[in-house]
Amino acid sequence: MTPDPLEQMIAAWAAFDDSLRMRNGFNEVIYDSLKQSLHACADAWAMLDAIPRVGANILVDIFAATEANADLYEGQLTDRVMEAAYELHDLVGECVALR
């Protein structure tokens, strides 16, 4: 059975955001999982007229929360978190793109 993309995104976002907020640094494995889940949601939602409400809630928060978490770090780590924020912003755009 294929895992539900939305459930994967919920778990991946929670893990990524929590790790940053807890000042655990930038975890590339967790980040890659989040990106993969966003790609899966974009594919799953491509032909839908609407996306699930919890998915929309996460998509609205991804950039702002990640950007805010960048302030918890310094130097190159801040830059990496901000780079991720912009990459995630682009993936959010894919999730809501009209086909």
Side-chain angles (χ1 to χ4, degrees):
M1 185 167 139
T2 304
D4 177 50
L6 179 58
E7 293 299 322
Q8 287 180 319
M9 183 179 70
I10 292 168
W13 168 244
F16 179 72
D17 187 50
D18 289 348
S19 181
L20 288 177
R21 279 188 298 110
M22 299 304 292
R23 297 180 183 199
N24 293 331
F26 193 92
N27 185 313
E28 293 289 344
V29 173
I30 294 173
Y31 179 61
D32 287 341
S33 176
L34 177 57
K35 290 192 309 182
Q36 290 173 4
S37 70
L38 287 167
H39 283 296
C41 284
D43 290 343
W45 299 341
M47 302 310 287
L48 299 180
D49 290 330
I51 63 173
R53 190 174 185 166
V54 69
N57 185 280
I58 291 169
L59 297 179
V60 166
D61 288 342
I62 281 181
F63 181 83
T66 304
E67 180 183 41
N69 284 328
D71 291 337
L72 300 173
Y73 299 96
E74 295 180 3
Q76 290 182 334
L77 203 47
T78 297
D79 295 342
R80 179 64 185 113
V81 174
M82 284 306 301
E83 178 184 322
Y86 284 104
E87 289 173 354
L88 293 171
H89 177 71
D90 289 343
L91 290 172
V92 165
E94 289 180 23
C95 288
V96 298
L98 299 174
R99 309 273 189 236

